[in-house]
Amino acid sequence: MAAHDSSEFRVAVIELNDRRHYLMQYRCPITGRRVSRSTGIERTGRNRERDAALKVAGDWEKQLRDGTYHSPGKITWADFRERYENEVLNSLADGTARKVLSIFRAIDKALAPVKLRDLTAARLSHYQATLRARGLSENTIKNHLAHLAAALKWAKRMGLLAVVPNIERTRRAKGTKIMRGRPITLEEFERMLDKVRHVVLTEPIPGEPTKPDPKREAYEAEVVASWKHYLRGLWFSGLRLAESLELYWDRDDRLCIDLTGKRPMMRIPAELEKGHKDRLLPIAPEFAEFLLATPEASRTGHVFNPLSRRANRPRPREYHVCKVISAIGERAGVKVNTDPRTGAVKFASAHDLRRSFGERWATRVMPQVLQELMRHESIDTTLKFYVGRNAQATADVLWAAHDAISNKSGNTDQNTATEAEHTANANR
């Protein structure tokens, strides 16, 4: 086959009277045949739509010249993944990119698609069922599908996919709860603190001497103190587990504490944010007081440093920290959920400490303030999980306000009688 110059591709926008949308067309430099596609832009006769069609045609021409264009239906799942990772994920926050990559790996395992078009509505419905069978919460499944839908819509815009498959909206499975855990009480949290030593010092170290060793005992006390400090930090801050382990005192390129202003704040650099802008976020006063209790000379490096049982071991990773906190919750007997289908018991975890933080502040501030404090992307998340969820807590707030007014006026009985008298007069 004869070679051809990529610059020979010239894509033009054309109009046909029997077509609703603008078409784009080029002549193949090898076969001489005309190749046409719809731009997806409606023919209205206005310059705005015409310009939009020209832009779509220009993008197609660039792909043809670069050799990156694949006919919809022919692109493989692997090729799509490579392009999406290079062209989209590299521009997103690290946490978001990791989440999408984990979703792609889950799809590989559950569906093993060969072509991108293999992700049909029926197979994606099966994928939902697979996630549910793994015990993932409905909210996690919803997030999986939202990221996947965004990726498939991008593929459609790039001409890699002819039609975006319909993704059924997730519904709560019978017997499931909105939360997989629950906020824990102060008494339960204190029980967890009491069990820290029993968990973090449980594993015996081979060859460890049995006789008393003041140096070893001092280090073990330091290990226990580091984990208690970490748990208290989670309780006061409402931080997610990954956020807490990447929180620094003095690194501007990382999630860090900012003590330069009137109030202690938390700074998120642009590189870690979806909006690619530096953000300064408020922190709860109780967490600020907790931080300020750290001596100035110690405010370097990570804010939290849970230590390994063995000295000179690397800093524990997120997975290990998660397991340790769950083990502490189990040792303390703090049950946060029981699966109605399997009877499996879930014990308190790091995220349940965040839930406790959210519930405490839900009764103190307006939803918009709570949204910023919890760092929720959408106010809907705040409303769904924290505002109005606990009717008993809301009732307690209402009665406390009522009692405060009554005690201040000192004439509750008189007011009640007067209101009853007015009601009786009105009904006559």
Side-chain angles (χ1 to χ4, degrees):
M1 183 179 290
H4 64 274
D5 184 355
S6 62
S7 65
E8 295 179 29
F9 287 107
R10 294 282 189 275
V11 179
V13 172
I14 62 174
E15 297 183 55
L16 296 179
N17 292 332
D18 60 342
R19 295 295 185 92
R20 179 182 176 184
H21 298 95
Y22 287 106
L23 295 181
M24 48 187 177
Q25 185 180 91
Y26 73 92
R27 186 185 294 277
C28 178
I30 299 175
T31 65
R33 296 177 56 187
R34 295 183 184 278
V35 181
S36 302
R37 278 181 57 199
S38 172
T39 63
I41 308 297
E42 189 174 357
R43 294 170 52 236
T44 63
R46 295 181 299 191
N47 289 336
R48 184 172 62 182
E49 282 72 24
R50 174 77 181 182
D51 290 343
L54 289 170
K55 183 179 185 307
V56 174
D59 291 340
W60 192 27
E61 181 177 295
K62 182 177 184 302
Q63 292 173 8
L64 290 167
R65 292 186 176 191
D66 294 346
T68 58
Y69 173 70
H70 294 269
S71 176
K74 293 184 179 180
I75 186 171
T76 66
W77 166 250
D79 286 340
F80 158 74
R81 277 195 56 173
E82 183 177 0
R83 280 199 58 179
Y84 195 72
E85 290 170 20
N86 292 334
E87 298 176 28
V88 179
L89 296 190
N90 283 341
S91 65
L92 301 180
D94 291 344
T96 303
R98 286 196 298 269
K99 185 181 296 182
V100 175
L101 288 175
S102 71
I103 292 170
F104 286 169
R105 288 193 293 268
I107 291 173
D108 278 332
K109 186 175 181 179
L111 304 179
V114 177
K115 302 280 190 180
L116 179 58
R117 68 185 181 192
D118 292 341
L119 297 183
T120 61
R123 299 197 73 188
L124 291 178
S125 179
H126 171 72
Y127 176 63
Q128 289 186 48
T130 301
L131 296 179
R132 196 167 287 117
R134 284 172 47 192
L136 272 64
S137 70
E138 296 303 310
N139 193 58
T140 300
I141 295 172
K142 180 181 177 182
N143 288 336
H144 265 247
L145 298 176
H147 283 294
L148 181 57
L152 295 178
K153 288 176 182 176
W154 177 86
K156 173 70 164 55
R157 292 195 301 273
M158 295 297 104
L160 307 178
L161 192 62
V163 178
V164 176
N166 182 52
I167 299 178
E168 288 293 322
R169 188 176 180 180
T170 58
R171 296 176 176 84
R172 282 176 62 191
K174 185 178 288 187
T176 62
K177 300 178 181 179
I178 294 178
M179 287 187 181
R180 292 186 64 197
R182 64 167 174 82
I184 65 174
T185 65
L186 177 59
E187 184 272 334
E188 289 173 326
F189 176 62
E190 289 174 344
R191 274 161 46 196
M192 290 179 66
L193 291 177
D194 287 340
K195 297 301 180 183
V196 168
R197 169 175 288 275
H198 298 83
V199 173
V200 300
L201 299 182
T202 294
E203 299 178 5
I205 299 177
E208 185 180 64
T210 56
K211 62 181 181 179
D213 182 348
K215 186 175 181 181
R216 185 188 75 238
E217 291 173 358
Y219 177 72
E220 288 181 346
E222 189 178 349
V223 171
V224 173
S226 73
W227 281 93
K228 286 186 176 182
H229 180 267
Y230 180 49
L231 289 181
R232 290 191 181 99
L234 293 177
W235 175 263
F236 289 132
S237 69
L239 288 168
R240 298 177 178 90
L241 182 65
E243 294 172 338
S244 67
L245 294 174
E246 289 300 314
L247 182 63
Y248 286 83
W249 286 107
D250 51 5
R251 283 192 59 172
D252 293 337
D253 62 330
R254 297 285 185 174
L255 188 68
C256 68
I257 297 299
D258 188 328
L259 300 176
T260 59
K262 181 180 179 181
R263 307 287 188 195
M265 304 285 274
M266 187 164 62
R267 185 180 297 279
I268 303 179
E271 293 78 11
L272 304 180
E273 265 292 282
K274 292 180 180 179
H276 296 283
K277 293 182 180 179
D278 288 330
R279 293 181 65 195
L280 198 61
L281 299 175
I283 59 177
E286 56 192 9
F287 183 45
E289 293 171 355
F290 171 84
L291 293 171
L292 292 174
T294 301
E296 288 189 30
S298 301
R299 296 174 190 171
T300 59
H302 288 97
V303 172
F304 299 110
N305 284 292
L307 299 175
S308 172
R309 169 77 190 279
R310 298 190 186 207
N312 302 320
R313 276 292 182 91
R315 192 164 182 266
R317 295 190 177 185
E318 181 181 338
Y319 176 79
H320 175 73
V321 172
C322 179
K323 290 294 184 183
V324 170
I325 296 176
S326 295
I328 293 171
E330 183 173 1
R331 189 69 181 259
V334 182
K335 301 178 182 179
V336 295
N337 190 29
T338 301
D339 192 315
R341 296 171 295 176
T342 65
V345 175
K346 182 181 182 298
F347 294 94
S349 66
H351 204 73
D352 294 309
L353 299 180
R354 173 174 164 81
R355 292 183 174 111
S356 303
F357 173 88
E359 182 167 87
R360 291 198 306 274
W361 282 95
T363 60
R364 303 174 186 174
V365 296
M366 295 295 289
Q368 292 81 359
V369 177
L370 183 61
Q371 177 193 358
E372 189 169 4
L373 200 56
M374 297 295 289
R375 298 171 308 286
H376 287 151
E377 188 174 349
S378 168
I379 188 67
D380 293 339
T381 304
T382 310
L383 295 173
K384 179 195 295 185
F385 289 104
Y386 296 101
V387 180
R389 190 193 67 83
N390 193 328
Q392 185 61 52
T394 303
D396 290 342
V397 173
L398 294 174
W399 279 97
H402 170 74
D403 292 343
I405 294 173
S406 299
N407 293 335
K408 184 176 181 180
S409 63
N411 58 357
T412 303
D413 293 338
Q414 180 180 345
N415 289 343
T416 303
T418 303
E419 290 172 6
E421 191 176 76
H422 280 306
T423 302
N425 291 333
N427 292 333
R428 288 176 184 171

